[in-house]
Amino acid sequence: MRNKKVVLDTNGLISSLSRRGRFYPIWKSFQEGVYTLCISNEILDEYVEIIGRKMTPDIAENVANLLLKSKNVELVYPQFRLGLITTDPDDNKFVDCAFSANATYIVSDDSHFDILNDIVFPELLVLKLQEFLDKLQETKET
């Protein structure tokens, strides 16, 4: 798993932030440098907005600052707008980031991303949070 590029949707990030949460190892693995988190300015803006609403603006600011200072964050500037997700076009920012970064995985439990499984090009692998967590745990065991 080391050095894999990952795009994590907003709900996935939020689900991984709580130390008491089942998906906390995803956040912890990021902090340990196990994978590279790929984000764009649009994604960062959404992270801040949604974390600010669901948690607190201070937590949102702290997460954003940590991401911007982290060595295993790749800030991506997508040049393409693929428009592959039509049911929720707002989710395309994650697809465009993954495509531009040549990311290994998009991690999301959002069913809107399921359409990517039927698209031959570009090949974008979508993992559910539990699947990604399982891959992280497999890496630690080897």
Side-chain angles (χ1 to χ4, degrees), residues 80-98:
F80 300 98
R81 303 285 180 218
L82 300 173
L84 298 175
I85 299 178
T86 55
T87 51
D88 187 358
D90 197 41
D91 287 335
N92 281 308
K93 70 172 86 36
F94 300 99
V95 175
D96 297 338
C97 181

Side-chain angles (χ1 to χ4, degrees), residues 1-2 34 133-142:
M1 175 59 75
R2 206 160 278 284
V34 172
L133 181 59
D134 292 345
K135 285 195 176 290
L136 289 169
Q137 290 171 339
E138 286 171 16
T139 301
K140 287 188 176 188
E141 291 171 4
T142 57

Side-chain angles (χ1 to χ4, degrees), residues 8-12 15 46 85 87-95 106-117 126-131:
L8 185 59
D9 84 344
T10 305
N11 286 326
S15 295
E46 181 173 301
I85 299 178
T87 51
D88 187 358
D90 197 41
D91 287 335
N92 281 308
K93 70 172 86 36
F94 300 99
V95 175
I106 297 173
V107 179
S108 175
D109 281 345
D110 188 333
S111 63
H112 296 137
F113 290 91
D114 292 348
I115 189 73
L116 300 177
N117 296 323
V126 180
L127 295 180
K128 302 294 184 191
L129 284 166
Q130 186 60 53
E131 293 172 317

Side-chain angles (χ1 to χ4, degrees), residues 8 13 16 29 32 50 54 67 92 97 112 114 142:
L8 185 59
L13 176 67
S16 73
S29 293
E32 293 169 352
I50 304 300
K54 291 192 174 204
L67 292 175
N92 281 308
C97 181
H112 296 137
D114 292 348
T142 57

Side-chain angles (χ1 to χ4, degrees), residues 94-105:
F94 300 99
V95 175
D96 297 338
C97 181
F99 178 72
S100 295
N102 196 26
T104 310
Y105 306 117

Side-chain angles (χ1 to χ4, degrees), residues 25-67:
I26 292 174
W27 178 249
K28 186 155 178 54
S29 293
F30 162 72
Q31 290 178 310
E32 293 169 352
V34 172
Y35 62 91
T36 297
L37 182 63
C38 301
I39 62 172
S40 64
N41 285 327
E42 281 182 284
I43 291 172
L44 185 61
D45 288 345
E46 181 173 301
Y47 284 174
V48 170
E49 176 189 344
I50 304 300
I51 292 170
R53 257 193 278 143
K54 291 192 174 204
M55 295 177 172
T56 69
D58 286 342
I59 292 172
E61 185 178 329
N62 289 338
V63 169
N65 287 334
L66 187 141
L67 292 175

